[in-house]
């Protein structure tokens, strides 16, 4: 489905403001007495995407280092609440926090990091089920850290059923292996991030879905519905060092959905889609931002969020969707923007009672979540930015997930800037935040 | 797209004959004098699929050994022309011939083997182009044997452009590698068979298509049309030792087509789709069968072909499509059954002038190509064969390739038998062929 996106954009530092968003000219914080000095207290928080905003591959983007110099005080602590919201999923939060600390030269704790699967710790009804996890890296450890107690990996399945993975000639068993019996029935599939050897994961996940989790048993009929599938990170592409965007987990999901459709004639259904642009991820980010304020003893409530990212379909769409959610009294309209997924119904109302409660309690304090698009990642590299902002209509294609209905308004960033340093300057300017 | 297939079938040896097919009750051969003895000369030839008909994985199906005992004379030579037509593509013909010789206990030469890519030797207009080949095994050697003179593999691309293949974290380059310049422009993509590490091949093939074969250059616009893609073997699944069918190259093609569509909004177009059920493969099989007769000095023309297979969408569909082709005076109607592919126009009329000439010269001798479905592979394992042949309506899903318009009549086998031994018995009975 090809669509036309209209993106208001400008390269220069003077910033474009979309008419839809009300500018908040109120001061960004209050001043309070602490240790005999006045210390500003922020009433806003920052959400940073990582790839294409702070780093490209293994290398920091220079503007990110400049930006974080401004964000920390003399003792090296951030002056405003900051969370790093990445759709990367094949790693532990702790590992990502250490990487960021090293790259940016500031101390980052794991409580400031949301990876795509972080909200799964709230999906308690799945934690006692036997789940097949897909991804790379320490997937078993990730699953256990999130609370899953009965975890089966793709490698475990390969070992138990070596006749199933037949694509790679060199890995086929040389002799007929003994038949595995009494293997536990898999009750749900959790897709953390893009695996390696896609043919293996695709084959085994399809086998699990077709057999209702009972591998080794030939199903008499196509199971309907199939066992639940929870997927984290829908990003079709992401920006590494290469000039053109690279495949992300969303591309793996495209393969899985297409094969399931071809083999069964039915649509693959997700129990939940997690990670940007899902509201649940922004909901969780807000929760962590508020926790930071509480730990620091800040008494001024957080009222505004700024989400800085490079991917219109993940960062901008997600921030705008969350902003819409904040503006509305009812969830129904938000639910309507997510097709085929029970994400919103399941998560906010059922799966996340605690988060939901916290959210309800603090709801009145948050006024908006504004989106800031930078040109150092997926966006600036997929299309030329016109020198004349009036020529800001570009043709592109819907790179969002199948289950997110395309809404033209939600890919339009509140602001477009060159890089993350300019994004921080913009926020400080808007919030009248004093710079060191 | 779910469809309903009607398959006339019966397990027992007494054979069902579909009304559409005229039974040939004429004797299967003439008797000629040779060395003082009468030797029968066949007027029919046999096309055998391999996986699911003769072997399952690495093991011969017992019925296949029995069948080939009947097919050879006392000196071990086959008494009738036989070709093995497989959609396997990641191997040399010679290797496949050696495997079959060993498994079946009869001598098989490479001139009796058609793998999915064999007809590419006739695509001379591509042989001088710089082609990217995808598959596993000795792909470079296969390409060179087919006549391609300028071959680039996926591994060569990875080495020249290490920043492109980023899915597997452990294979990402640790340092920024030097930029490759003056790499040859890739002019076509040839997909032999399913590769390993699908994420790598999918990413690099998409990169090549988006950049018109100029890797390292960021395209200003989506190339239209993209450079030619030739694909061999469309089988979605195949039957190995496992109880459920395994992914074939067709599944890889589903991924490639889906990603291309998602990323570009456009359909991936194939310059040619080769391998069963393409007519070109059956055309080539007939050519080899006639060559065998000539080498043996048989003077009786071949009039009937029997194609034995386990896959309704490849073996049966292909044999029936070829039979329809034989019955028709014009190619137009056949072309209409292949959507989106220029296969027929390109191959028979332009790409294969010699084959086409041979074919035209011998056309009058061939009367029919009948399809015989066995239940030892994909077919018998995907659905129960009802004990009552009148209850022969089963629900299934179209597993053929996207570009082959589903034609209900073409998946209906001329005959359904239990295994290949029964298939050979059937043919001998129909042809009044004397058994040793």
């Amino acid at each position: 489905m090809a669509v036309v996106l209209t993106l208001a954009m400008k390269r220069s530092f003077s910033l474009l403001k979309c008419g839809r968003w009300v500018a908040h000219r109120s001061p960004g914080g209050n001043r309070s007495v602490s240790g005999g000095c006045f210390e500003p207290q922020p009433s806003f928080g920052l959400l940073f995407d990582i790839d294409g905003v702070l780093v490209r591959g293994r290398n920091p983007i220079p503007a990110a280092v400049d930006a974080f110099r401004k964000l920390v005080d003399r003792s090296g602590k951030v002056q405003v609440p900051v969370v790093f919201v990445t759709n990367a999923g094949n790693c532990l939060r702790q590992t990502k926090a250490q990487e960021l600390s090293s790259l940016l030269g500031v101390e980052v704790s794991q409580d400031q990091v949301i990876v795509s699967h972080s909200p799964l710790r709230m999906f308690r009804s799945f934690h006692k089920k036997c789940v097949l996890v897909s991804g790379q890296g320490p997937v078993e450890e990730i699953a256990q850290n999130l609370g899953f107690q009965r975890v089966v990996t793709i490698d475990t399945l390969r070992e138990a059923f070596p006749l199933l993975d037949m694509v790679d000639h060199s890995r086929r068993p040389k002799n007929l292996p003994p038949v595995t019996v009494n293997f536990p029935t898999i009750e749900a599939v959790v897709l953390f991030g893009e695996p390696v050897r896609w043919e293996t994961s695709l084959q085994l996940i399809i086998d699990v879905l077709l057999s209702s989790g009972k591998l080794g048993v030939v199903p008499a009929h196509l199971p309907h519905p199939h066992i639940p599938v929870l997927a984290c990170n829908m990003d079709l592409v992401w920006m590494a060092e290469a000039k053109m965007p690279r495949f992300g987990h969303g591309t793996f999901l495209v393969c899985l959905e297409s094969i399931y459709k071809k083999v069964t004639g039915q649509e693959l259904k997700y129990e939940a889609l997690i990670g940007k642009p899902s509201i649940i991820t922004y909901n969780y980010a807000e929760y962590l931002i508020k926790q930071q304020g509480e730990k620091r003893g800040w008494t001024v409530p957080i009222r505004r969020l700024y989400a800085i990212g490079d991917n219109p379909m993940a960062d901008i769409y997600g921030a705008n969707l969350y902003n819409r959610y904040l503006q509305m009294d009812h969830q129904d309209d938000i639910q309507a923007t997510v097709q085929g997924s029970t994400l919103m119904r399941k998560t906010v109302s059922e799966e996340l009672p605690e988060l939901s409660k916290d959210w309800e309690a603090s709801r009145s304090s948050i006024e908006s979540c504004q989106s800031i698009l930078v040109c150092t990642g997926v966006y600036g590299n997929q299309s030329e930015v016109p020198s004349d902002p009036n020529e800001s209509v570009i043709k592109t294609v819907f790179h969002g997930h199948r289950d997110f209905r395309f809404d033209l308004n939600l890919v339009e960033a509140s602001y477009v800037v060159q890089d993350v340093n300019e994004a921080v300057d913009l926020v400080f300017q808007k919030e009248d935040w004093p710079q060191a």
Side-chain angles (χ1 to χ4, degrees), chain A:
Chain A
M1 175 179 56
V3 293
V4 176
L5 305 187
T6 309
L7 287 169
M9 47 197 172
K10 201 175 180 189
R11 269 192 186 279
S12 69
F13 176 57
S14 63
L15 298 151
L16 267 181
K17 181 162 62 72
C18 299
R20 292 188 306 114
W21 308 107
V22 178
H24 299 282
R25 293 290 174 194
S26 57
N30 294 10
R31 289 179 185 272
S32 66
V33 181
S34 170
C37 300
F38 282 104
E39 272 193 359
Q41 284 194 10
S43 58
F44 64 98
L46 295 171
L47 282 64
F48 288 97
D49 178 35
I50 299 178
D51 290 303
V53 175
L54 306 178
V55 301
R56 284 282 291 269
R58 293 170 185 267
N59 303 301
I61 291 171
V65 179
D66 296 339
F68 273 82
R69 274 199 208 107
K70 293 174 189 162
L71 280 166
V72 295
D73 60 20
R74 284 171 193 164
S75 67
K77 281 186 177 171
V78 286
Q79 302 179 76
V80 297
V82 162
V83 287
F84 301 90
V85 188
T86 176
N87 270 349
N90 287 315
C91 59
L92 295 162
R93 287 196 300 163
Q94 179 61 32
T95 312
K96 192 55 85 178
Q98 285 166 352
E99 277 175 23
L100 287 169
S101 298
S102 163
L103 284 166
L104 300 174
V106 298
E107 191 186 333
V108 176
S109 85
Q110 68 171 4
D111 294 333
Q112 287 179 294
V113 175
I114 300 177
V115 294
S116 65
H117 48 67
S118 297
L120 281 179
R121 74 182 60 245
M122 305 299 174
F123 282 64
R124 299 210 177 92
S125 69
F126 285 92
H127 289 178
K128 288 186 178 172
K129 290 187 193 296
C130 178
V131 296
L132 170 66
V133 294
S134 160
Q136 61 180 301
V139 283
E140 205 160 1
E141 194 179 352
I142 291 169
Q144 285 161 352
N145 278 0
L146 288 168
F148 293 98
Q149 293 158 32
R150 298 171 61 208
V151 178
V152 173
T153 65
I154 294 286
D155 283 341
T156 312
L157 277 193
R158 276 197 76 239
E159 282 164 28
F161 302 96
L163 290 178
L164 297 184
D165 180 25
M166 295 294 281
V167 171
D168 186 343
H169 296 191
S170 67
R171 300 212 302 172
R172 291 178 184 170
K174 298 228 168 2
N175 300 302
L176 272 185
V179 176
T180 296
V181 290
N182 297 328
F183 195 86
T185 298
I186 293 165
E187 298 165 281
V189 178
V190 182
L191 309 171
F192 284 138
E194 61 281 7
V196 295
R197 296 182 174 272
W198 284 11
E199 61 277 19
T200 298
S201 293
L202 290 167
Q203 176 75 77
L204 293 173
I205 294 166
I206 293 285
D207 284 338
V208 163
L209 294 178
L210 295 185
S211 65
S212 289
K214 297 179 186 71
L215 276 190
V217 176
V218 179
H221 305 286
L222 177 69
H224 186 76
H226 58 68
I227 61 171
V229 178
L230 308 169
C232 312
N233 179 6
M234 292 152 270
D235 286 1
L236 189 70
V237 290
W238 64 287
M239 212 61 209
E241 290 96 341
K243 290 176 185 167
M244 289 162 68
R246 301 296 85 199
F247 287 176
H249 192 213
T251 305
F252 178 78
L253 298 180
V254 165
C255 295
L256 183 67
E257 294 155 16
S258 305
I259 295 172
Y260 187 82
K261 181 74 187 284
K262 183 72 184 176
V263 169
T264 68
Q266 308 290 320
E267 296 287 349
L268 180 77
K269 303 278 186 195
Y270 294 98
E271 184 76 8
L273 285 165
I274 300 158
K276 297 175 286 185
S278 292
I279 289 174
I280 186 61
T281 291
Y282 288 84
N283 205 241
Y284 196 65
E286 180 189 325
Y287 179 75
L288 293 188
I289 276 187
K290 287 179 177 169
Q291 277 193 327
Q292 281 180 42
E294 285 172 21
K295 279 185 191 167
R296 297 284 287 270
W298 291 329
T299 52
V300 175
I302 300 294
R303 298 208 180 277
R304 290 168 301 282
L305 300 176
Y306 296 90
I308 302 161
D310 69 316
N311 188 331
M313 283 303 150
D315 305 307
I316 305 308
Y317 196 101
N320 291 346
L321 187 66
Y322 195 57
N323 187 69
R324 185 181 283 181
Y325 180 77
L326 295 173
Q327 311 297 319
M328 288 184 173
D329 290 324
H330 306 291
Q331 288 180 25
D332 294 346
D333 292 334
I334 298 292
Q335 285 179 20
T337 66
V338 183
Q339 292 176 325
S341 166
T342 55
L343 171 65
M344 290 311 303
R345 282 180 292 279
K346 281 279 179 194
T347 52
V348 176
S349 60
E350 295 170 27
E351 290 290 344
L352 304 174
E354 287 187 19
L355 197 60
S356 188
K357 192 178 159 193
D358 284 345
W359 161 243
E360 287 300 329
S362 63
R363 187 170 186 178
S364 57
S365 80
I366 300 286
E367 293 166 359
S368 67
C369 175
Q370 298 202 42
S371 54
I372 304 177
L373 180 63
V374 297
C375 300
T376 48
V378 167
Y379 171 67
N381 285 274
Q382 274 191 319
S383 56
E384 286 298 309
V385 179
S387 54
D388 178 359
N390 294 324
E391 291 177 4
S392 60
V393 179
I394 58 164
K395 271 194 179 182
T396 185
V397 174
F398 180 54
H399 280 180
H401 188 269
R402 181 197 73 178
D403 291 352
F404 281 73
R405 192 169 56 193
F406 180 73
D407 184 333
L408 187 63
N409 294 316
L410 293 178
V411 290
E412 206 169 320
S414 310
Y415 303 96
V416 182
V417 296
Q418 183 55 34
D419 56 38
V420 64
N421 191 29
E422 290 188 1
V424 169
D425 283 341
L426 164 66
V427 175
F428 282 3
Q429 180 194 9
K430 288 182 59 60
E431 295 286 342
D432 290 340
W433 186 255
Q435 293 200 42

